[in-house]
Amino acid sequence: MSSLFLIGDSDKKSSKSDGSNIQNSTFSKLLNFAPPFCISFHQFEVMAEPAYTVASDSETTGEEKSSSAFPEIAIGIDIGTSQCSVAIWNGSQVELLRNTRNQKLMRSYVTFKDEIPSGGVSYQLSHEHEMLSGAAIFNMKRLIGRVDTDPVVHASKSLPFLVQTLDIGVRPFIAALVNNIWRSTTPEEVLAIYLVELRVMAESRLKRPIRNVVLSIPVSFSRFQLTRIERACAMAGLHVLRLMPEPTAVALLYAQQQQQLIHDNMGSGSEKIALIFNMGAGYCDVAVTATAGGVSHIKALTGSTIGGEDFLQNMMRHLLPDYDNLFSSRGVNEIKSMGLLRVATQDAIHKLSFEESVQIDVDLGNGSRICRKVNREEFEEVNQKIFEKCESLVIQCLLDAKVQADDLTDVMVVGGCSYIPKLRNLVKSICKRELYKGMNPFEAAVSGTALEGAVASGISDPFGNLDLLTIQATPLGIGIRANGNSFVPIIPRNTTMPARKELVFTTVRDNQTEVLIVVYEGEALKAEENHLLGYFKITGLPPAPKGVPEINVCMDIDASNVLRVLAGVVLPGSQQPVVPVMEVRMPTVDDGHGWCAEALHRAYGSNLDLVTVQKK
Amino acid sequence: ILYPNLNGLPQFLAALDVYISADEKINGGVDWYRLLGVQPYADEDTIRKHYRKLALILHPDKNKSVGVGGAFKILSEAWNLLSDKARRIAYDQKQNLRGSYTAVFHGKPSTEATNSNGFHDFF
């Protein structure tokens, strides 16, 4: 593509063969873009202020600046599919906050049976079955930000509350059974109610208002799902300072523990590579991190929507093969039977972590009774596919991190499923290591979020206990649709954040005056198999033969994980963009992702397509 | 402290340093070694240590001054290139090649080898 070399500032030298020339010009751009050269005293005052704002981030500046002289320490929250916890840096160490019932780990559910809904932070269940009466919504984290064609939503249809799907790519209908009425709600609303309870609890414990939070999230969450989490937080009056993939929170705790052990900064140089395997009720995540001097550099992340809930559902179907038929009518009695089976199965699975076999005896109340022995082997066989998936996540993560099992210093298994012997064994055998014993598997993630909360709030510790840093990596690739229907990543998976990357595209038709930029997130080769984040059009391209206009698409992720997509066009011989550059904050799409992409395709076909420019 | 409002100055200057290093090109290419504060023959361990030290100063979690996000992104580029053996060798070779051109043409880098897409400047 000869036009490539005609464009641009000829004073800038670089060769044409490798990536460094791109970076070269990126810098000059950054220099023009970054504003630090005119600085006033006002800005120094801003600097000294505790609240952190991104210089160019007009959307989030303003109201966040704390007026207090002391920075507010953000709390850390681990929202689990099954349990939640809150922790804070108390000035010398991480402390988990307890509710009025003295619990550090609280069940994640909200019951709608009274006038005012109440959640697991404040409410005391009379019995486990009460949560399964249909009046309580739980597993919010599995449902949030998903559409009704998602297999995870379909799997949730066997829960006692109502999950109704129309299979057209819209949000599912979710409802709680109250006085024989299905009352509708949304996962965000349920999560917000729960978060309000957590906030009230933290405020009463800490005796100050709470605003800033760091939350742990699954690795596999799309950016759209992250916006739902942020929305739920906003509904609860909380401002999200950071969303941390769960195993990276554990990695930060590990970094702190290593710091305390060594008491030796930078100089020691003994880098430790650790693998973290985190499996809860809803998600399984793996991270590989390189740690030294308190810095946890995330090398790779993998994750999938598999968890304890899947073990449970597989076992229930194993014990009662007619499960789906029996409960399809969803009357009050069926829901009750379903709850009885669920509790009995859950109990059995827990016991099988410590015993070879367990006796199940449950009367489902509808004339059927399950009375039998289940052994561990049976459990492992029934869930073989899940264990295989776990294995592949660990292997993939090592591969992505370019790390051999022999390079690992430590291996951690944390989360609600961490006592399952088969899981521990498979991680041990892939990593060829005994497991790290220095952390509580249920408290590790929330402790890490509390550390990050302190660090990101700008808190420093006189003893150096907060000389910590997580260098995050992107869990999913981000790119655009180009070259026909392909997904072309611009920021690949496992890129260090904050990040800024760009690629050059061109037109596919002569005199093409418009191009459509469709942004996706994911790993699939076909564009539409990824998560749609948004789209916009660049118009007003001057008529030119195909392949001549240079369309530069740049993606920028800042420290708060805000994604911006910039796109501009130049013609050979010019160094100025022919039309104003577009800058779009993503995601822009709301519910019904699939529809948008299909509608775009119907409306425009391939008329506004793009192809990548081959670098010579 | 005489001027508490100037607390952020060292952090700001650290970020500025990166921008200056990235802009000052030797033989037409960014001197990534200089940016990281290491010698061109530095071993991987030294490079890693310097990267980490700078990351602790330049990460937006640690440094609230303006423009620090951009400085950190530049640092990441430097680390990505120099921590990748193949890319580092290619970079070294190119820098050496440029160096010899420069010598031949009396310090004036060739204008032939222009940027493939210098039009990034407009972002």
Side-chain angles (χ1 to χ4, degrees):
Chain A
M1 181 110 338
S2 63
S3 61
L4 268 175
F5 306 109
L6 300 172
I7 295 169
D9 182 354
S10 60
D11 284 330
K12 289 201 180 61
K13 312 303 172 304
S14 111
S15 97
K16 29 191 161 168
S17 57
D18 79 355
S20 71
N21 55 350
I22 302 273
Q23 285 132 15
N24 219 338
S25 49
T26 310
F27 290 148
S28 29
K29 172 197 64 200
L30 280 165
L31 280 167
N32 290 349
F33 180 75
F37 300 103
C38 49
I39 189 132
S40 67
F41 268 90
H42 170 70
Q43 275 162 308
F44 279 112
E45 281 161 28
V46 171
M47 265 181 238
E49 287 220 4
Y52 161 65
T53 50
V54 179
S56 59
D57 193 350
S58 57
E59 292 92 332
T60 57
T61 48
E63 48 142 1
E64 282 164 34
K65 281 169 197 151
S66 160
S67 54
S68 110
F70 296 99
E72 178 202 322
I73 305 182
I75 59 169
I77 301 181
D78 178 28
I79 329 170
T81 306
S82 156
Q83 297 191 108
C84 289
S85 47
V86 183
I88 188 161
W89 176 258
N90 70 7
S92 57
Q93 60 182 4
V94 168
E95 181 186 336
L96 268 75
L97 302 182
R98 292 169 186 271
N99 66 5
T100 49
R101 279 169 286 133
N102 210 28
Q103 295 172 313
K104 290 195 280 187
L105 305 173
M106 292 153 277
R107 295 293 294 273
S108 310
Y109 70 90
V110 169
T111 176
F112 289 80
K113 94 179 159 65
D114 301 315
E115 262 319 292
I116 303 163
S118 48
V121 182
S122 65
Y123 189 77
Q124 173 77 60
L125 289 170
S126 59
H127 188 272
E128 184 74 16
H129 297 295
E130 196 189 337
M131 198 175 122
L132 304 168
S133 65
I137 309 274
F138 53 94
N139 280 12
M140 292 87 91
K141 203 163 89 174
R142 280 263 222 173
L143 291 163
I144 198 159
R146 293 185 192 273
V147 291
D148 65 356
T149 43
D150 192 319
V152 178
V153 172
H154 279 256
S156 302
K157 287 164 84 172
S158 62
L159 298 175
F161 57 91
L162 186 64
V163 178
Q164 200 177 69
T165 59
L166 295 167
D167 302 311
I168 55 168
V170 294
R171 59 165 52 202
F173 178 76
I174 289 164
L177 187 61
V178 185
N179 300 328
N180 216 24
I181 296 169
W182 285 113
R183 281 175 55 183
S184 79
T185 181
T186 63
E188 294 94 277
E189 190 179 62
V190 175
L191 187 57
I193 293 166
Y194 194 85
L195 285 166
V196 166
E197 288 201 348
L198 283 179
R199 181 166 67 96
V200 168
M201 175 197 118
E203 286 179 341
S204 76
R205 285 276 176 265
L206 300 170
K207 303 192 172 49
R208 66 167 171 93
I210 300 289
R211 174 145 164 78
N212 292 333
V213 292
V214 173
L215 273 88
S216 63
I217 43 136
V219 168
S220 56
F221 259 24
S222 71
R223 282 178 177 270
F224 177 72
Q225 286 174 300
L226 300 187
T227 66
R228 300 297 102 168
I229 296 281
E230 281 168 347
R231 179 171 292 185
C233 285
M235 285 159 86
L238 295 169
H239 170 249
V240 174
L241 198 59
R242 292 282 185 278
L243 293 175
M244 280 188 111
E246 271 152 39
T248 73
V250 180
L252 188 59
L253 177 65
Y254 174 72
Q256 192 224 22
Q257 293 183 340
Q258 296 312 304
Q259 265 310 76
Q260 283 183 338
L261 285 180
I262 310 169
H263 277 295
D264 181 17
N265 295 343
M266 291 315 169
S268 80
S270 66
E271 186 181 61
K272 290 178 173 159
I273 313 275
L275 181 134
I276 295 140
F277 179 91
N278 180 12
M279 191 169 187
Y283 295 87
C284 177
D285 294 333
V286 189
V288 170
T289 178
T291 304
V295 179
S296 163
H297 190 166
I298 305 301
K299 295 281 186 190
L301 292 167
T302 53
S304 176
T305 315
I306 49 167
E309 179 65 31
D310 300 291
F311 288 131
L312 180 57
Q313 292 204 11
N314 287 346
M315 277 308 273
M316 287 199 290
R317 289 194 172 86
H318 173 67
L319 293 170
L320 190 65
D322 211 16
Y323 178 88
D324 291 289
N325 261 335
L326 280 172
F327 296 129
S328 58
S329 69
R330 209 174 270 272
V332 178
N333 290 331
E334 280 84 9
I335 290 173
K336 196 174 172 203
S337 306
M338 199 197 290
L340 289 165
L341 178 62
R342 201 178 157 92
V343 172
T345 313
Q346 204 154 32
D347 199 37
I349 293 175
H350 285 166
K351 284 185 182 149
L352 282 175
S353 286
F354 308 98
E355 292 159 36
E356 280 299 326
S357 72
V358 58
Q359 180 70 32
I360 294 179
D361 187 355
V362 55
D363 187 348
L364 299 181
N366 54 359
S368 65
R369 178 177 169 186
I370 297 170
C371 181
R372 60 175 285 195
K373 209 173 205 179
V374 181
N375 61 35
R376 194 184 283 171
E377 252 171 47
E378 205 175 338
F379 168 75
E380 290 170 0
E381 217 173 275
V382 166
N383 290 297
Q384 200 195 341
K385 284 219 169 84
I386 300 180
F387 291 117
E388 282 168 6
K389 180 69 190 173
C390 293
E391 248 168 25
S392 76
L393 287 173
V394 176
I395 292 166
Q396 185 65 47
C397 199
L398 285 169
L399 263 176
D400 289 351
K402 302 190 182 78
V403 162
Q404 310 282 328
D406 295 328
D407 303 331
L408 293 169
T409 314
D410 284 306
V411 177
M412 277 141 264
V413 173
V414 296
C417 292
S418 51
Y419 285 126
I420 295 176
K422 173 95 176 171
L423 277 180
R424 299 173 74 85
N425 290 337
L426 78 84
V427 176
K428 274 197 266 188
S429 99
I430 299 170
C431 298
K432 304 182 197 162
R433 283 282 176 293
E434 281 303 310
L435 302 179
Y436 183 78
K437 292 190 179 71
M439 51 177 75
N440 179 327
F442 303 120
E443 299 178 2
V446 75
S447 303
T449 59
L451 287 172
E452 178 74 10
V455 170
S457 302
I459 310 290
S460 56
D461 177 71
F463 304 106
N465 288 327
L466 288 177
D467 290 346
L468 302 173
L469 176 67
T470 308
I471 302 176
Q472 290 284 3
T474 51
L476 297 167
I478 306 163
I480 66 168
R481 176 182 175 274
N483 304 337
N485 203 25
S486 298
F487 172 65
V488 179
I490 293 176
I491 296 185
R493 187 159 55 106
N494 295 325
T495 299
T496 299
M497 294 201 293
R500 190 181 181 105
K501 299 219 177 252
E502 54 202 21
L503 265 184
V504 182
F505 298 85
T506 190
T507 51
V508 293
R509 285 165 212 286
D510 293 336
N511 301 321
Q512 185 176 336
T513 56
E514 299 185 328
V515 290
L516 190 61
I517 310 284
V518 189
V519 181
Y520 287 94
E521 178 181 53
E523 295 306 311
L525 296 173
K526 275 190 188 165
E528 76 266 13
E529 288 170 12
N530 296 287
H531 305 286
L532 179 66
L533 294 180
Y535 38 82
F536 59 92
K537 209 161 70 167
I538 307 176
T539 58
L541 273 68
K546 67 178 175 189
V548 170
E550 300 254 342
I551 298 139
N552 185 287
V553 181
C554 172
M555 298 201 172
D556 184 285
I557 301 173
D558 71 17
S560 308
N561 199 20
V562 172
L563 170 69
R564 282 185 178 72
V565 180
L566 299 98
V569 187
V570 285
L571 287 179
S574 158
Q575 45 198 99
Q576 288 304 314
V578 293
V579 286
V581 172
M582 303 283 290
E583 180 184 319
V584 185
R585 189 173 164 163
M586 300 259 172
T588 56
V589 288
D590 210 47
D591 291 341
H593 312 179
W595 282 17
C596 300
E598 275 168 38
L600 283 171
H601 186 73
R602 262 201 310 279
Y604 299 104
S606 63
N607 286 329
L608 308 186
D609 271 11
L610 286 166
V611 289
T612 41
V613 170
Q614 298 302 315
K615 282 201 211 94
K616 280 195 182 169
Chain B
I1 304 163
L2 282 175
Y3 299 103
N5 284 344
L6 284 174
N7 271 348
L9 193 57
Q11 284 80 8
F12 170 71
L13 290 178
L16 198 62
D17 260 355
V18 170
Y19 283 109
I20 291 168
S21 300
D23 201 36
E24 263 181 28
K25 302 190 170 118
I26 54 156
N27 310 323
V30 174
D31 187 348
W32 297 109
Y33 294 108
R34 204 198 118 168
L35 198 143
L36 283 175
V38 297
Q39 298 293 327
Y41 46 79
D43 62 14
E44 211 186 309
D45 236 30
T46 311
I47 292 177
R48 184 182 293 124
K49 269 181 209 161
H50 278 254
Y51 163 70
R52 205 172 276 132
K53 199 185 245 163
L54 281 169
L56 261 173
I57 301 168
L58 291 171
H59 194 280
D61 276 358
K62 289 287 172 188
N63 185 335
K64 310 298 183 197
S65 55
V66 282
V68 75
F72 186 83
K73 286 167 198 165
I74 295 171
L75 178 68
S76 295
E77 289 295 339
W79 166 248
N80 284 342
L81 194 146
L82 297 183
S83 63
D84 181 325
K85 282 197 187 82
R87 285 183 70 195
R88 183 175 170 187
I89 290 167
Y91 169 74
D92 287 346
Q93 282 173 348
K94 207 176 66 192
Q95 289 296 93
N96 289 336
L97 211 60
R98 282 212 194 100
S100 44
Y101 273 136
T102 311
V104 171
F105 295 109
H106 311 287
K108 291 220 165 182
S110 154
T111 44
E112 301 286 306
T114 63
N115 204 329
S116 71
N117 40 15
F119 73 114
H120 310 275
D121 295 2
F122 60 68
F123 283 135

